[in-house]
Amino acid sequence: MIEESLVVIVRALISFFTLLIYTRLLGKQQMGNLTYFDYINGITIGSMAGTLATDLSTEAWVHWLGLTVFVSVVGLLQYTDLKNRYLSKVVDSEPVVVIQNGKILENNLKTARVTRDELFMQLRQKNMFDITQVQYAILEPDGNFSVLPKAAHQPVTPKDLNIPVQPAEMMTEVIHDGVVLKQNLEQRSKDMAWLRLQLKAQGIQDPKEVSFAAILPNGLLYVDKFEDRVSNKADISDYKGPF
Amino acid sequence: MWRKWLLYIVPTLFLALSISVMAGGKYLKQPFGEDDKVYEAIQQLETLAKNKDWEQARERIDYASKAWQKVVNRIQFSVERETVFEISGALARMKGSVEAEDDQALLVDIYYFYELWDSLGS
């Protein structure tokens, strides 16, 4: 007779790795800016994958095929979105201006099926508590609101104050769990000799002692050792435990 | 370079293997040796039932039941659970009909089995 547990294990593995391959094929667009349509697609694909794994009353093949067709169509739409701007707007809709110069555009709000309460909630979440300070509020295709405050209410920047600034850089990880990431070192025009010197300056003989190290934007080396040597460690627990 | 190839080869092989596991029922139900000829055994059982040769029929239905267990192990990942249960049930009823030497009931189940077998993995 059928070994149900074994069948579920095999089908679950097929479902899991198929989903992994397909989501990698679909790329980051799915997560990056999830439109309402993408959101529904994600739910449907997940539901199909779940059924494929555990519904033994039907053949795995038909669910897998449905999943594959669905992912293919989503991929095809992504491709047409890239190639044809008009089609992209038909599928994903386009941004809608809902506030202009402090005035609510009721017709646009109604078209987007957004209530005033929802609009005010979104404004508050963007730290806009006074509608008269809003130059533009735009409802994006992914359902988020983009808010541009009026010029007088925008935060001041170093440029406004003519303050000289360092060029913006990224933090680059160079040691991960005791392993030196040589490629990252080269990216920041550094070598092993420089790294050893920096570690020695912080009393570290071997990179294996280091849990995490990174070159900061200002060129200095940040080091976090496995041995933290933190006295009076903060304890935010309410009870002794164990939990 | 080989890493890039692996990046494409491993998922492709995995998908190909998955497809063969899921869609292979139609081929995996066919006999691979001497002890898994289920369909052939039931065809022989049909002839034996029509000739009322119950001694040989007992031997054939026992063989078919054992052969079916072997085939189930191969096809369980690619067929509907209910179809497997139905075939197992049909074989059990055939066994009962052979014991009762009831050729009419046996033939009904044999033809029901043929129908189930055709839909298995298709």
Side-chain angles (χ1 to χ4, degrees), chain A residues 1 3-4 17 56-57 64, chain B residues 22 69 76 81-82 88:
Chain A
M1 201 41 76
E3 294 278 349
E4 289 193 357
F17 286 107
L56 303 188
S57 64
W64 190 89
Chain B
M22 289 184 296
Q69 288 311 318
Q76 59 185 337
R81 182 178 51 180
E82 274 62 30
S88 298

Side-chain angles (χ1 to χ4, degrees), chain B residues 95-113:
Chain B
K95 203 167 187 168
S97 301
V98 169
E99 285 301 321
E101 298 184 359
D102 182 348
D103 54 326
Q104 288 178 356
L106 182 59
L107 285 171
V108 168
D109 281 321
I110 285 172
Y111 280 88
Y112 180 50
F113 167 86

Side-chain angles (χ1 to χ4, degrees), chain A residues 59-153:
Chain A
E59 289 177 24
W61 171 246
V62 291
H63 298 294
W64 190 89
L65 200 61
L67 183 68
T68 303
V69 168
F70 219 89
V71 167
S72 304
V73 174
V74 170
L76 188 71
L77 278 178
Q78 280 182 358
Y79 181 75
T80 53
D81 278 2
L82 291 172
K83 293 286 170 192
N84 188 317
R85 190 142 188 264
Y86 175 73
L87 258 181
S88 161
K89 286 182 182 286
V90 169
V91 173
D92 295 332
S93 83
E94 58 179 352
V96 180
V97 179
V98 289
I99 296 177
Q100 187 169 346
N101 199 15
K103 298 270 188 297
I104 298 172
L105 307 180
E106 284 81 4
N107 280 343
N108 290 358
L109 210 58
K110 209 177 283 181
T111 307
R113 296 194 189 92
V114 175
T115 64
R116 266 197 206 83
D117 289 338
E118 281 170 8
L119 172 65
F120 293 143
M121 180 182 77
Q122 291 285 346
L123 289 178
R124 287 194 297 273
Q125 285 176 349
K126 301 273 179 199
N127 287 328
M128 299 300 297
F129 289 82
D130 181 350
I131 197 168
T132 61
Q133 293 178 3
V134 179
Q135 183 65 47
Y136 285 108
I138 297 168
L139 176 59
E140 302 290 358
D142 65 358
N144 281 321
F145 280 81
S146 300
V147 180
L148 180 72
K150 286 181 178 172
H153 299 285

Side-chain angles (χ1 to χ4, degrees), chain A residues 1-4 6-7 10-11 13-15 17-18 21-22 52 55-61 64, chain B residues 11 14-15 18-19 21-23 69 72-73 76-82 84-85 88 119 121-122:
Chain A
M1 201 41 76
I2 277 186
E3 294 278 349
E4 289 193 357
L6 181 66
V7 175
V10 170
R11 283 174 67 152
L13 286 172
I14 289 172
S15 176
F17 286 107
T18 299
I21 292 164
Y22 284 174
L52 163 60
D55 184 6
L56 303 188
S57 64
T58 48
E59 289 177 24
W61 171 246
W64 190 89
Chain B
F14 172 80
L15 289 177
S18 298
I19 291 166
V21 165
M22 289 184 296
Q69 288 311 318
V72 164
N73 289 337
Q76 59 185 337
F77 305 108
S78 48
V79 297
E80 290 175 24
R81 182 178 51 180
E82 274 62 30
V84 172
F85 289 162
S88 298
S119 67
S122 58

Side-chain angles (χ1 to χ4, degrees), chain B residues 33-83:
Chain B
E34 288 303 310
D35 55 355
D36 58 354
K37 297 177 177 177
V38 183
Y39 191 78
E40 206 177 296
I42 299 301
Q43 281 180 317
Q44 289 163 354
L45 184 66
E46 185 188 350
T47 310
L48 293 167
K50 283 171 180 169
N51 296 336
K52 295 191 168 50
D53 184 351
W54 298 114
E55 202 56 48
Q56 282 290 312
R58 269 186 203 94
E59 187 273 323
R60 280 292 85 190
I61 190 63
D62 284 343
Y63 167 87
S65 298
K66 285 194 184 88
W68 172 238
Q69 288 311 318
K70 264 194 124 57
V71 172
V72 164
N73 289 337
R74 288 203 301 258
I75 62 168
Q76 59 185 337
F77 305 108
S78 48
V79 297
E80 290 175 24
R81 182 178 51 180
E82 274 62 30
T83 312

